[in-house]
Amino acid sequence: MAKLNSHTILKICIIFFFLCFINCKNKKEEKYIIGFSQCISKDDWRKAMDYEMKVEASLYEEIDLTIFQANEDIEIQKSHVEYMINNGFDVIIISPLRPEPLVYLIERAHDKGIPVILIDRKINSEKFTAYVGANNLDVGRNAANYIASLNEKQINVLEIKGSDNSSPVIERHLGFHKIINNEPNISVAYSIKDEDLEPRMSQILDSISVKPFNYVYAFNDNIAHDAWKIAKSKGVEKSIKFIGVDGLYGTNNGIQLVENGILLATILYPTGGDEAIKIARKILHNENVPKNNILNTTVIDYRNAEIMKNQYDKINNHQNDIENQQEKIKQQQETYSTQSKTLKLVLGLLILSLLLGGVLIYSWNIIRRKKRELEISNKKILIQQDQIKTSNDAKVNFFTGLSHEFKTPITLILSSIESLSENNIIKGNKLLREVGLVYNNSKRLLRLINQLLDFRKIEDRKFILKASETNLYEFSDRIFKDFEREAQKRNIDFTLKTNDENLKIYIDRNLMDKVYFNLLSNAFKFTPDNGKIDINIVNEIDNNFVKILFKDSGIGIPKKDLQGVFKAFFQASNNNKASSGIGLHLSKEFVEMHKGSIDVSSKHGTEFTLTLYKGSAHLNSDEIVYEPDLVDDSILNFNSDFEENDFIEVGVPNDEERYSVLIIEDNPDLIKYLRNKFIGDYDVYMSDGSDGIEKAFELIPDIIICDINLPDKSGFEICEILKKDLRTSHIPTIILTALNNKESYIKGLESGADLYLTKPFSFAILSQSVKTMIYNREKLRYYFINNIHKINIEESFGSVEQEFLTKINQIINKNLDNSKFSVENLASELNISRVQLYRKTKAILGVTISDYIQNIRLEEAKSLLQETLLTISEIAYATGFSSPNYFSTSFKNKFDISPKAFRES
Ligand code: FRU
């Protein structure tokens, strides 16, 4: 079986819903249409007929009645009948104006199977379904019998007939005459037509002196009333008795005219409107109906007029009630219909929402199942990924760790070679060449390891750009010079050109150095002897770029390989020299860190083009650092290959003063190396890291060099503890580590380290840094000693030292007049040992603490001598000297003048 998806189910639901909705709607619209063609419209009898039909039809929901008014125009009536035949009317009711003109139409309807009901008037054909109306012969007979029943001697009748030759006109005349003919005392004196009433009756009444008629038999009540009016106008209305037909209820109609005495009687002629609808409904419900449906007729005179009227009143009231009720029913039906529509709609929506709910649950289940499956496969993938990552990470970490491990021994080898080169036995000896070979190869090894580590750093996104404004030509020239010697050796035409020697751009010198070095190494690697290599720096004056072109006349790169040269581990197909394949990849990454680009083209050799931005707008503020523009930083890297006498003299011993260095390091070789290097100029103390802090507190050295990866506490922790402790906070600290990443660098600075040097380090740099730091410390010391008074002021200098001095000064000033106040007292107030106090003050002030206290006493005494009238002995005691003599001697020693002479001067 085909699977249903939720989309298909949803579609089925919607179609189902609409089908239900349409079905409900159609059921309601099944109705029978009944049409009625009314021949005359103006009089009350016809209106009563229409009204009765409407009332009757309104009782049946299934019936829809339309009444067409012909207004006594036979052509209009014909067109109405034709319309009903052609437009699917279920029953046609006709009250024909005249019998003949309509016969063929009625027969046609009948032949077509449309039921035709004739009302009030007949036609000359039998092709109709039913006739409804009173017997007009009986009407005529009733009128005649009523006149006869009055037993008057002689009755002369004026008969006023209807103007047309409809069946009622003919039959009412016939029925009347049939009776009269047998009554000797009754004669029809005149028989006239309604249309001639006014002139003929007036003429009759005017022309004969003897009363010509005493009874009027009018074809209907309206005509009888008109005749009465004419008689009244002649003043003879009382001598004539008027009899009409219809007996209609209502103002100026038959029953009221009888009640008012205008008519003697009226013959009831019911309209049959309600009956016609009843018969039509029966036909529509396939019930048998008689062809002739004769309605009752009766005489209404003064005896029953009132009863009739009352009955009609009642009927009318009932009718009103019925109508009101019908109206209410209609309203209720409308309400019901609205409510039932709403209910159906709600039900429909309910069903739809149930179906949708079903679809939803179905879909939800599927989604849940799918989700579970996905989650499981996801988990599997994650586990696999984790496994791969863990094993990958482990491998990479192993290699990275190993590479780091390589750096220390290589640094040692390089530094040792530096030392060897200084050795007089080797200098000028053949051995120097061998040493140079070792040096150059060690450097190559180091470079490779560095590339490996850089690659890892790039992968981990751990590089931070440290761009500084740099003269590009000078920068390039420096690296150019490193390769010049090789160019000479191999007779390579090696040039550096520029169109702007003064151009300065922002570059990370360290990274850009690697880029240059890589591009030039490649160029030299693939360019044969006697070839050509150019560096061309082009300052594009019209735009914001500078281009650096590295062009060689080497073997070039095959076209198909050009795309891939910057990919990691890529080897060009024509390259059979050993290479790691990451140099160009790193170069591209480094250039892109500068928001620049690197491109390659190859045609008679290879050309690499670096495009770099001028200015610094393209860099973030944290990517910009200040570095002096190209100081002699040849000691900053190992780029220059070893050549005879290339090493720089470092560490000139200073006989006058020996500073102390504490080295906290756990690598025995490095310890040995550093010790040997420093021992000539410094008192060197060593700690393997297990007692670094204790030794620092004990020795208060002038400088501390500390590794990071130590067995007990890390270098960061040691540094932080020392920098927070009053005793050691002033000591410059250098962190020395193989961890060359942003986080460690920041951590080092946060721990309070003054310098962060990464391995491999140049001893020259380390030695220079130690010297500079000690020099700076001296400057600070000079500042402190010359600003003893200023240091007291509340404005903080922010350093622990400044706080320390402030505290010392406060304690000393408090005890200024106390000659027994000693260094021990001060140390105990400061919570440190006497020796620590001694070393700390010696370190930051350059004088012993007792000299310092003495200085303060003497400075105070000096100002008292200047500003007060106190005697010399008073001043001596006030400034804590045990005797005026001792004060005078001390004063003279310091200021080269006795207190007395000073005051006088
Ligand atoms: C009304 C009327 C009635 C009469 C009937 C005969 O138009 O004249 O008064 O009874 O028509 O068709």
Side-chain angles (χ1 to χ4, degrees), residues 556-764:
I557 302 168
K559 212 169 181 184
K560 64 177 164 77
D561 291 343
L562 279 176
Q563 285 246 307
V565 291
F566 297 112
K567 286 189 186 139
F569 314 116
F570 182 81
Q571 295 274 356
S573 52
N574 61 343
N575 173 10
N576 43 25
K577 307 207 175 185
S579 71
S580 64
I582 54 174
L584 283 176
H585 171 70
L586 285 176
S587 300
K588 184 174 176 2
E589 293 283 343
F590 291 156
V591 171
E592 281 172 359
M593 278 173 71
H594 286 79
K595 314 278 185 306
S597 62
I598 180 167
D599 299 292
V600 62
S601 66
S602 188
K603 203 178 176 189
H604 314 301
T606 308
E607 183 171 43
F608 285 93
T609 308
L610 300 190
T611 308
L612 297 170
Y613 274 107
K614 290 187 267 191
S616 61
H618 58 291
L619 300 172
N620 294 332
S621 56
D622 62 349
E623 291 176 328
I624 299 172
V625 294
Y626 173 75
E627 269 184 84
D629 197 8
L630 293 179
V631 287
D632 183 11
D633 58 356
S634 54
I635 55 165
L636 293 177
N637 53 52
F638 290 117
N639 279 346
S640 57
D641 273 357
F642 175 86
E643 293 295 334
E644 289 161 50
N645 301 323
D646 256 6
F647 292 112
I648 298 144
E649 285 279 307
V650 286
V652 180
N654 183 346
D655 288 341
E656 285 171 15
E657 211 179 328
R658 278 179 77 86
Y659 292 98
S660 57
V661 181
L662 172 62
I663 300 167
I664 309 174
E665 168 66 68
D666 64 341
N667 181 318
D669 288 340
L670 191 57
I671 289 187
K672 222 183 274 170
Y673 168 75
L674 289 174
R675 194 173 170 280
N676 289 341
K677 296 294 283 184
F678 279 118
I679 199 78
D681 303 316
Y682 302 90
D683 290 338
V684 183
Y685 301 98
M686 320 298 298
S687 161
D688 62 358
S690 59
D691 58 353
I693 296 168
E694 292 70 19
K695 279 213 167 142
F697 286 154
E698 183 196 321
L699 300 163
I700 317 286
D702 291 298
I703 201 141
I704 297 172
I705 299 168
C706 187
D707 187 19
I708 285 184
N709 290 326
L710 292 166
D712 187 9
K713 284 194 165 58
S714 78
F716 297 131
E717 287 169 304
I718 294 176
C719 186
E720 203 170 343
I721 292 169
L722 296 180
K723 283 292 179 183
K724 279 191 178 149
D725 197 287
L726 189 64
R727 294 166 285 181
T728 47
S729 55
H730 64 282
I731 306 173
T733 309
I734 298 172
I735 283 202
L736 203 57
T737 177
L739 296 177
N740 184 13
N741 59 51
K742 185 178 168 185
E743 287 77 27
S744 308
Y745 189 76
I746 290 170
K747 225 168 145 191
L749 294 178
E750 274 171 1
S751 70
D754 299 83
L755 187 65
Y756 190 93
L757 282 183
T758 52
K759 292 176 186 171
F761 59 87
S762 153
F763 182 75

Side-chain angles (χ1 to χ4, degrees), residues 39-41 43-46 95-96 119-121 136 162 164 166-169 172 219-223 245-246 269-270:
C39 57
I40 300 161
S41 318
D43 62 75
D44 284 355
W45 190 83
R46 294 284 161 186
S95 179
I119 184 164
D120 159 47
R121 298 181 177 192
N136 279 299
D164 53 37
S166 62
S167 61
V169 174
R172 285 175 195 179
F219 201 71
N220 64 29
D221 294 332
N222 285 340
I223 300 170
V245 176
D246 285 345
Y269 185 66

